[in-house]
């Protein structure tokens, strides 16, 4: 069994991502699960995506869809275009040189993003799930946008859910879920958090 290393909500903060990765003593069979929101807000969204792609040269990597990638991919819709333009999108455009370059440069990456990753023990997802629906009936928008209804309710899955999207001052932990978004990119002094899920079921938090 491999260890899983979960990282989410990097938001263009390449230096914090590099700092976090430098503090993880990796093993060859580690599996990295990047849980979305690579882009927007921070100064180097392009660099972040280049770096998480590079990680696949040494380790198996899973790449999930975040709310900010979802908004970018749906900017033909007025509502999602508003979200992109007002929640950090201009910083992403600047890091790529133009709006068109974002998809042109990383088309394969954006097209590969999954909405969740399921194992025997864990469900990795950007935002969470609608607690009253089975996994196969979840909407894409809930998987990348849901907040309180998921966080403060019990779910019926046997897996522990690892999520981001909603930021906390410290990792959010309850019986069935762990939230690891600490506001990186949103707050200047916020850390990027990584969660190592060990083979024996123990959990370690690592910070940038």
């Amino acid at each position: 069994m491999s260890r899983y290393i979960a990282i989410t909500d990097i938001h263009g903060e390449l230096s914090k991502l590099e700092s976090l990765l430098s503090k993880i003593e990796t093993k060859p069979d580690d599996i990295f699960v990047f849980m979305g929101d690579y882009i927007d807000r921070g100064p180097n969204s392009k660099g972040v995506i280049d770096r998480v792609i590079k990680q696949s040269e040494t380790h198996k990597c899973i790449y999930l869809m975040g709310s900010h990638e979802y908004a970018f991919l749906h900017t033909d819709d007025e509502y999602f275009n508003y979200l992109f333009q007002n929640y950090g999108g201009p910083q992403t455009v600047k890091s790529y040189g133009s709006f068109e370059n974002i998809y042109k440069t990383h088309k394969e990456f954006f097209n590969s993003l999954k909405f969740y990753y399921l194992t025997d023990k864990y469900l990795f997802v950007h935002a969470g799930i609608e607690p009253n629906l089975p996994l196969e009936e979840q909407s894409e928008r809930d998987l990348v946008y849901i907040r309180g209804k998921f966080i403060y309710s019990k779910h019926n899955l046997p897996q522990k859910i690892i999520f981001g999207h909603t930021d906390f001052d410290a990792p959010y932990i309850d019986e069935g879920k762990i939230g690891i978004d600490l506001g990186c990119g949103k707050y200047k002094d916020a850390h990027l958090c990584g969660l190592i899920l060990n083979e024996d079921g123990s959990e370690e938090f690592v910070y940038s």
Side-chain angles (χ1 to χ4, degrees):
M1 180 181 172
S2 303
R3 298 192 307 175
Y4 291 99
I5 300 173
I7 301 172
T8 190
D9 293 82
I10 306 165
H11 284 300
E13 295 284 0
L14 178 60
S15 61
K16 292 183 180 181
L17 174 61
E18 293 285 14
S19 172
L20 176 63
L21 291 173
S22 73
K23 295 176 181 178
I24 299 173
E25 295 185 13
T26 59
K27 301 177 181 180
D29 60 347
D30 284 341
I31 299 173
F32 282 80
V33 186
F34 294 100
M35 296 159 44
D37 280 9
Y38 314 90
I39 64 172
D40 297 352
R41 293 180 174 153
N44 200 346
S45 292
K46 179 182 181 297
V48 165
I49 293 182
D50 284 337
R51 183 62 183 86
V52 299
I53 291 172
K54 184 180 180 182
Q55 191 65 24
S56 68
E57 296 174 4
T58 56
H59 293 86
K60 179 179 179 180
C61 293
I62 308 296
Y63 305 109
L64 302 187
M65 177 80 71
S67 57
H68 286 251
E69 290 77 44
Y70 190 87
F72 164 70
L73 291 171
H74 293 82
T75 49
D76 54 339
D77 178 282
E78 183 178 353
Y79 173 69
F80 290 109
N81 185 58
Y82 173 84
L83 292 181
F84 180 77
Q85 297 299 335
N86 288 275
Y87 290 89
Q91 290 94 315
T92 299
V93 172
K94 185 177 181 180
S95 79
Y96 279 87
S98 72
F99 180 86
E100 291 73 23
N101 280 346
I102 303 172
Y103 188 69
K104 186 186 300 182
T105 304
H106 285 132
K107 178 180 180 180
E108 184 177 343
F109 178 80
F110 282 106
N111 287 343
S112 75
L113 298 177
K114 306 175 187 302
F115 281 92
Y116 62 84
Y117 179 63
L118 184 67
T119 75
D120 291 342
K121 290 185 177 181
Y122 305 105
L123 170 67
F124 300 89
V125 63
H126 178 67
I129 62 170
E130 160 57 63
N132 300 314
L133 291 177
L135 192 55
E136 61 271 15
E137 294 181 20
Q138 298 289 324
S139 73
E140 292 181 353
R141 288 180 67 167
D142 276 340
L143 294 170
V144 296
Y145 281 106
I146 199 168
R147 293 189 191 273
K149 187 176 183 181
F150 157 70
I151 295 168
Y152 304 113
S153 301
K154 289 186 177 182
H155 62 82
N156 297 317
L157 295 180
Q159 289 87 357
K160 182 172 287 188
I161 299 180
I162 313 301
F163 71 100
H165 184 58
T166 299
D167 61 274
F168 300 94
D169 292 334
Y172 176 89
I173 304 171
D174 72 17
E175 183 180 354
K177 62 182 79 75
I178 301 177
I180 58 170
D181 178 7
L182 303 187
C184 179
K186 188 175 182 180
Y187 308 110
K188 183 179 179 180
D189 297 328
H191 288 286
L192 181 63
C193 177
L195 170 61
I196 301 174
L197 299 164
N198 293 303
E199 300 167 39
D200 62 3
S202 62
E203 299 149 358
E204 299 176 53
F205 297 96
V206 185
Y207 305 94
S208 61

